[in-house]
CSV table of all heavy atoms in Angstrom, one decimal:
chain,number,residue,atom,x,y,z
T,215,ARG,N,2.9,-95.4,-122.0
T,215,ARG,CA,2.3,-95.9,-123.3
T,215,ARG,C,3.2,-96.8,-124.0
T,215,ARG,O,4.4,-96.6,-124.0
T,215,ARG,CB,1.9,-94.7,-124.2
T,215,ARG,CG,1.0,-93.8,-123.6
T,215,ARG,CD,0.7,-92.7,-124.4
T,215,ARG,NE,-0.2,-91.7,-123.7
T,215,ARG,CZ,-0.7,-90.7,-124.2
T,215,ARG,NH1,-0.3,-90.2,-125.4
T,215,ARG,NH2,-1.5,-89.9,-123.4
T,217,GLU,N,3.8,-97.5,-127.6
T,217,GLU,CA,3.5,-97.0,-129.0
T,217,GLU,C,3.6,-98.2,-130.0
T,217,GLU,O,4.2,-99.2,-129.7
T,217,GLU,CB,4.5,-95.9,-129.3
T,217,GLU,CG,4.6,-94.8,-128.3
T,217,GLU,CD,3.4,-93.9,-128.3
T,217,GLU,OE1,2.4,-94.1,-129.1
T,217,GLU,OE2,3.4,-93.1,-127.4
T,218,VAL,N,3.0,-97.9,-131.2
T,218,VAL,CA,3.1,-98.8,-132.3
T,218,VAL,C,4.1,-98.3,-133.4
T,218,VAL,O,4.0,-97.1,-133.7
T,218,VAL,CB,1.7,-99.1,-132.8
T,218,VAL,CG1,1.7,-100.0,-134.1
T,218,VAL,CG2,0.8,-99.7,-131.8
T,232,THR,N,6.8,-95.7,-123.0
T,232,THR,CA,7.3,-94.3,-123.2
T,232,THR,C,6.3,-93.3,-122.6
T,232,THR,O,5.1,-93.6,-122.4
T,232,THR,CB,7.6,-93.9,-124.7
T,232,THR,OG1,6.2,-93.9,-125.4
T,232,THR,CG2,8.6,-94.8,-125.3
T,234,TRP,N,5.8,-88.7,-122.5
T,234,TRP,CA,6.4,-87.3,-122.9
T,234,TRP,C,5.7,-86.3,-122.1
T,234,TRP,O,4.5,-86.3,-122.1
T,234,TRP,CB,6.3,-87.1,-124.4
T,234,TRP,CG,6.8,-85.8,-124.8
T,234,TRP,CD1,6.1,-84.6,-125.1
T,234,TRP,CD2,8.2,-85.5,-125.0
T,234,TRP,NE1,7.0,-83.7,-125.5
T,234,TRP,CE2,8.3,-84.1,-125.4
T,234,TRP,CE3,9.4,-86.3,-124.9
T,234,TRP,CZ2,9.5,-83.6,-125.6
T,234,TRP,CZ3,10.6,-85.6,-125.1
T,234,TRP,CH2,10.6,-84.3,-125.5
T,238,VAL,N,6.5,-78.6,-125.2
T,238,VAL,CA,6.5,-78.6,-126.6
T,238,VAL,C,6.2,-80.1,-127.1
T,238,VAL,O,6.4,-81.0,-126.4
T,238,VAL,CB,7.9,-78.2,-127.2
T,238,VAL,CG1,8.2,-76.7,-126.9
T,238,VAL,CG2,9.0,-79.0,-126.7
T,239,ALA,N,5.7,-80.1,-128.3
T,239,ALA,CA,5.5,-81.5,-128.9
T,239,ALA,C,6.8,-82.0,-129.4
T,239,ALA,O,7.8,-81.3,-129.6
T,239,ALA,CB,4.5,-81.3,-130.1
T,240,TYR,N,6.8,-83.3,-129.6
T,240,TYR,CA,8.0,-84.0,-130.0
T,240,TYR,C,7.6,-85.1,-131.0
T,240,TYR,O,6.7,-85.8,-130.7
T,240,TYR,CB,8.7,-84.6,-128.8
T,240,TYR,CG,10.0,-85.3,-129.1
T,240,TYR,CD1,11.1,-84.7,-129.7
T,240,TYR,CD2,10.1,-86.7,-128.7
T,240,TYR,CE1,12.3,-85.4,-129.9
T,240,TYR,CE2,11.3,-87.4,-129.0
T,240,TYR,CZ,12.3,-86.7,-129.7
T,240,TYR,OH,13.5,-87.5,-129.8
T,241,VAL,N,8.4,-85.3,-132.0
T,241,VAL,CA,8.0,-86.4,-133.0
T,241,VAL,C,9.3,-87.2,-133.2
T,241,VAL,O,10.4,-86.6,-133.5
T,241,VAL,CB,7.6,-85.8,-134.4
T,241,VAL,CG1,7.3,-86.9,-135.3
T,241,VAL,CG2,6.3,-84.9,-134.2
T,242,TYR,N,9.2,-88.5,-133.2
T,242,TYR,CA,10.2,-89.4,-133.6
T,242,TYR,C,9.6,-90.7,-134.1
T,242,TYR,O,8.6,-91.1,-133.6
T,242,TYR,CB,11.4,-89.6,-132.5
T,242,TYR,CG,10.9,-90.6,-131.4
T,242,TYR,CD1,11.2,-91.9,-131.5
T,242,TYR,CD2,10.2,-90.1,-130.3
T,242,TYR,CE1,10.8,-92.8,-130.5
T,242,TYR,CE2,9.8,-91.0,-129.3
T,242,TYR,CZ,10.1,-92.3,-129.4
T,242,TYR,OH,9.7,-93.1,-128.4
T,243,SER,N,10.3,-91.3,-135.1
T,243,SER,CA,9.7,-92.5,-135.6
T,243,SER,C,8.2,-92.4,-136.1
T,243,SER,O,7.4,-93.3,-135.8
T,243,SER,CB,9.9,-93.7,-134.7
T,243,SER,OG,11.2,-94.0,-134.5
T,244,SER,N,7.9,-91.2,-136.5
T,244,SER,CA,6.6,-90.9,-136.9
T,244,SER,C,5.5,-90.9,-135.8
T,244,SER,O,4.3,-91.0,-136.0
T,244,SER,CB,6.1,-91.8,-138.1
T,244,SER,OG,6.9,-91.7,-139.2
T,245,ILE,N,6.0,-90.9,-134.6
T,245,ILE,CA,5.1,-91.0,-133.3
T,245,ILE,C,5.1,-89.5,-132.8
T,245,ILE,O,6.2,-88.9,-132.5
T,245,ILE,CB,5.6,-91.9,-132.3
T,245,ILE,CG1,5.5,-93.3,-132.9
T,245,ILE,CG2,4.7,-91.8,-131.1
T,245,ILE,CD1,6.3,-94.3,-132.0
T,246,ARG,N,3.9,-88.8,-132.8
T,246,ARG,CA,3.9,-87.5,-132.3
T,246,ARG,C,3.4,-87.5,-130.8
T,246,ARG,O,2.4,-88.1,-130.4
T,246,ARG,CB,2.8,-86.7,-133.0
T,246,ARG,CG,2.7,-85.3,-132.7
T,246,ARG,CD,1.9,-84.5,-133.7
T,246,ARG,NE,1.7,-83.1,-133.4
T,246,ARG,CZ,2.6,-82.2,-133.5
T,246,ARG,NH1,3.7,-82.4,-134.0
T,246,ARG,NH2,2.3,-80.9,-133.1
T,247,HIS,N,4.2,-86.9,-130.0
T,247,HIS,CA,3.9,-86.7,-128.6
T,247,HIS,C,3.5,-85.3,-128.3
T,247,HIS,O,4.3,-84.3,-128.6
T,247,HIS,CB,5.3,-87.0,-127.8
T,247,HIS,CG,5.8,-88.4,-127.9
T,247,HIS,ND1,5.2,-89.4,-127.2
T,247,HIS,CD2,6.6,-88.9,-128.8
T,247,HIS,CE1,5.9,-90.5,-127.6
T,247,HIS,NE2,6.7,-90.2,-128.6
T,248,LEU,N,2.4,-85.1,-127.8
T,248,LEU,CA,1.8,-83.7,-127.5
T,248,LEU,C,2.3,-83.2,-126.3
T,248,LEU,O,2.6,-83.9,-125.4
T,248,LEU,CB,0.3,-83.8,-127.6
T,248,LEU,CG,-0.3,-84.3,-128.9
T,248,LEU,CD1,-1.8,-84.4,-128.8
T,248,LEU,CD2,0.1,-83.4,-130.1
T,249,PRO,N,2.3,-81.9,-126.1
T,249,PRO,CA,2.7,-81.3,-124.8
T,249,PRO,C,1.8,-81.8,-123.7
T,249,PRO,O,0.6,-81.9,-123.9
T,249,PRO,CB,2.5,-79.8,-125.0
T,249,PRO,CG,2.5,-79.6,-126.5
T,249,PRO,CD,2.0,-80.8,-127.1
Side-chain angles (χ1 to χ4, degrees):
R215 298 178 183 179
E217 305 290 353
V218 175
T232 61
W234 181 257
V238 296
Y240 178 66
V241 178
Y242 75 94
S243 297
S244 299
I245 300 168
R246 183 169 176 79
H247 300 274
L248 300 175

